Amino acid sequence: MLTIKNLHAGIEDKEILNGINLEIKTGEVHAIMGPNGSGKSTLAAVLAGRENYEVTEGTVEYLGKNLLDLAPEERAGEGLFLAFQYPVEIPGLSTTNFIKTAVNEVRKYRGQEPLDAVAFLKLMKEKMKLMNIDQSLLSRSLNEGFSGGEKKRNEIFQMAMLQPKLAVLDETDSGLDIDAIRIVANGVNKFRNKDNAVLVVTHYQRLLDYIIPDFVHVLYNGRIVKSGPKELAFELEEKGYDFIKNEVIEVSGE
Amino acid sequence: MKTDVVQTEKNGPDVYREDESLRTIEKTVLSEYKYGFVTDIEADEAPKGLNEDTIRFISARKSEPQWMLDWRLKAFRHWEKLATEEPKWANIKYPPINYQDIIYYSAPKQSAKPKSLDEIDPELKRTFEKLGISLEEQKRLTGVAVDAVIDSVSIGTTFKEQLGELGIIFCSMSEAIQEHPDLVKKHLSTVVPITDNYFAALNSAVFSDGSFCYIPKGVRCPMELSTYFRINAENTGQFERTLIVAEEGSYVSYLEGCTAPMRDENQLHAAVVELIAMDNAEIKYSTVQNWYPGDKQGNGGIYNFVTKRGICKGANSKISWTQVETGSAITWKYPSVILKGDNSVGEFYSVAVTNNHQQADTGTKMQHLGKNTRSRIVSKGISAGVSNNSYRGLVHVGKNASNARNFSQCDSLLLGDKCGAHTFPYIEVKNNTAVVEHEATTSKIGEDQIFYCNQRGINTETAVALIINGFAKEVMNQLPMEFAVEAQKLLAISLEGSVG
């Protein structure tokens, strides 16, 4: 589904991603872990097409297309979804209205008829139940005055509404207490199936107690320095990122 | 009294990055003014220039009674006295207007005054149809009566008979002077005296047409009344005069819309609107102003110099102004309410958009005179391009206005980094039981807001429209439903290609 080859990217002449290689197949869940400043959020931003990041080298192939050629809204149309670490507030714009616009813009991109009010409401009710989200939250202005937990739940709710093929979750667990993490993880688990894929970007292992990944990758200094099965996450939790750093230093020292 | 001024300037380290995103967004759409066409129709015009003969010409063309002519001449003489006192205090800049270079009366030639809507020149009907205003009653939105004014005359009013059955008078001002002289005499210039200000004096001297609405005691007007103003002829000024009287316990909702052709020269629209609400009456007055704003370089466009004022004359009366101002090269306009009756309520809801070289100095005056009077001001200014947008408002609480209450909120949204947003709130309180609150914010459309929308599949153009409409929502909610959707589209169109 997604093939990243030798990806170099940065912001304002500062290189942050330093040759990333990653392959994600349909039905898989990958976790990217790494210490602060290792490039996790940059990778998520580059995949979503954030404008101020510049790709200097490498390729990203997504469902047979050159992802880097597509505008951010086209990537969304192609089924790429980013759950933001810091969801943005838009005063006066109701969450429902925002999501309805998003759903219908994506449908338009795919050449589908827009959902009418009745069909949209039906879909929304169904997903609300699934995500355990309250109607009152959806009639409020988008993310305005939402608690950290409400913002993240809203992200996952939008994911459920848009049904992407590849969901990138950028530090979705940050700032959440354990109950909120469970709710969010539960939403992701209900979403995942054999036809989609999830890329979980996280600093801590605890989210991976609930979203069990097929593969774990460790990002350090803009490169994936170690990949392994889900147990790698436990090892990291136990030994801390220093153990990776030391390993990297040893390797480069040879 | 407090003045706070926010001006963004091009400086700081982020300039290049912002410029980049500005360009990307600018590329998305280049919109054009949709109503810029000219109708080719023969006109009956006054000679250029302004003197007593001009006034006599206008009055004669309208076959006005002597009292009306005398009233006009009085206003003209007052205006002459003020001639050197054109107001300069507003935060707007424009070259001096040559009042002798304007045509003060221009009317489409019609063989005879049409007796019914069927007799209106088809060319004129088509003009209004192109603007989305059908003068065929059966085709109209249900529940909206229209008075159509082109240049200096009203060409027709719909639903007059139905309204007449309830005793409601809805007709052009010219007709009201002929048919209802007592009502006109009784109320005209009681809210805005001819000596009120420079442009009010000018308007009183040369006013051409506008609407007259009279809602009798206890009647709730069953449909929206609306006037559509169109400037068509070249070199002319339009001097709208509107008067709405709501008798005891009555209710009316009125809406005006305005457009004009695209021209290189500036044209003047100097209007006076007066509202009178008696005991327990309510008037809701909405404006969707979309005069030609000039081109991207700032050439042409309408000068919109307007005096609008309502008086809550009776106890428990209410006047509510809602305006969506997207057009005009310059807007100079302060719809105000005199809260004379005890427990009366005044409201002002405004969205003013300026783009390219447009300038707006707009706001309101709330004069609290009666006891327990309340007023509410919600002003949303949106500036883009190199435009300048000012809110200017006065809240005055007189010494007898015990327990007066005012709440004002002025929010400014900046699009790009070359525009200006200014707030000039004035507060005068002479009674210590008054409670006056003022809140103000200034914000910018963020790149991150747009990216967030993009990531959800929403393109930049739509994203901007969503953000703008969210910002203006509180005001848009006040518009009659039939017009809210149109106004939302209008907001998005006036800002297309201007966001960063």
Side-chain angles (χ1 to χ4, degrees), chain A residues 12 48-52 72-73 76 80-82 84 88-92 98 102 105-106 142-143 155 158 162, chain B residues 13-14 17 20-21 24 447-460 462 466-467 469-471 473:
Chain A
E12 286 172 351
R50 180 128 208 172
E51 193 176 356
N52 28 16
E73 62 269 28
L80 184 111
F81 179 88
L82 172 65
F84 283 66
V88 173
E89 299 180 3
I90 302 184
F98 173 74
E105 288 291 305
V106 165
L142 183 64
N143 291 322
E155 291 294 287
Q158 291 178 43
L162 288 164
Chain B
D14 285 342
R17 229 169 69 204
E20 198 56 46
S21 74
T24 324
E447 217 180 299
D448 49 347
Q449 287 176 321
I450 290 174
F451 178 67
Y452 189 81
C453 295
N454 288 161
Q455 209 302 306
R456 298 298 185 251
I458 300 166
N459 64 33
T460 300
T462 310
L466 287 177
I467 295 166
N469 281 310
F471 175 76
K473 188 184 182 182

Side-chain angles (χ1 to χ4, degrees), chain B residues 211-243:
Chain B
S211 298
F212 176 76
C213 315
Y214 177 82
I215 319 296
K217 187 174 164 179
V219 172
R220 197 180 162 84
C221 183
M223 55 178 86
E224 302 281 340
L225 304 186
S226 76
T227 307
Y228 197 92
F229 291 94
R230 172 76 179 168
I231 293 178
N232 186 57
E234 219 166 338
N235 301 316
T236 58
Q238 189 178 54
F239 303 90
E240 157 202 358
R241 186 94 197 188
T242 289
L243 174 61

Side-chain angles (χ1 to χ4, degrees), chain B residues 89-318:
Chain B
W89 43 263
N91 186 24
I92 51 179
K93 287 194 192 84
Y94 58 96
I97 298 170
N98 182 354
Y99 290 92
Q100 298 307 331
D101 202 30
I102 294 174
I103 296 170
Y104 287 85
Y105 181 88
S106 174
K109 258 190 195 152
Q110 306 196 69
S111 43
K113 197 175 181 298
K115 282 188 195 66
S116 76
L117 295 169
D118 301 334
E119 290 175 21
I120 296 171
D121 183 335
E123 188 62 33
L124 288 175
K125 271 195 193 173
R126 265 196 296 278
T127 300
F128 280 92
E129 251 151 50
K130 259 168 109 171
L131 299 167
I133 309 290
S134 173
L135 296 175
E136 313 280 337
E137 286 180 357
Q138 63 275 25
K139 283 194 207 152
R140 275 300 300 172
L141 288 166
T142 44
V144 185
V146 182
D147 181 20
V149 176
I150 188 158
D151 295 323
S152 307
V153 289
S154 162
I155 58 161
T157 308
T158 62
F159 291 110
K160 258 159 88 173
E161 287 77 28
Q162 287 92 322
L163 292 167
E165 284 165 21
L166 293 165
I168 296 170
I169 302 167
F170 178 46
C171 62
S172 71
M173 187 56 103
S174 310
E175 199 180 319
I177 291 165
Q178 306 291 341
E179 311 285 332
H180 312 282
D182 294 343
L183 282 174
V184 174
K185 252 195 231 175
K186 185 175 170 196
H187 296 290
L188 190 70
S189 77
T190 59
V191 191
V192 180
I194 54 175
T195 53
D196 189 77
N197 70 68
Y198 185 84
F199 294 110
L202 176 64
N203 174 284
S204 302
V206 300
F207 80 83
S208 31
D209 227 336
S211 298
F212 176 76
C213 315
Y214 177 82
I215 319 296
K217 187 174 164 179
V219 172
R220 197 180 162 84
C221 183
M223 55 178 86
E224 302 281 340
L225 304 186
S226 76
T227 307
Y228 197 92
F229 291 94
R230 172 76 179 168
I231 293 178
N232 186 57
E234 219 166 338
N235 301 316
T236 58
Q238 189 178 54
F239 303 90
E240 157 202 358
R241 186 94 197 188
T242 289
L243 174 61
I244 300 176
V245 180
E247 291 286 7
E248 194 184 324
S250 67
Y251 168 85
V252 63
S253 172
Y254 173 92
L255 184 125
E256 59 163 352
C258 345
T259 58
M262 303 199 307
R263 291 219 172 85
D264 287 341
E265 89 266 19
N266 297 104
Q267 282 180 281
L268 182 62
H269 172 87
V272 172
V273 174
E274 298 174 281
L275 313 183
I276 298 166
M278 308 308 277
D279 285 355
N280 299 306
E282 179 176 350
I283 302 175
K284 195 173 155 60
Y285 188 107
S286 312
T287 305
V288 176
Q289 186 264 105
N290 187 24
W291 294 118
Y292 176 54
D295 67 12
K296 290 195 165 56
Q297 283 70 46
N299 302 312
I302 303 294
Y303 290 166
N304 191 34
F305 297 157
V306 173
T307 305
K308 285 185 168 166
R309 194 176 302 152
I311 181 165
C312 285
K313 218 169 179 175
N316 309 312
S317 55
K318 180 176 176 184

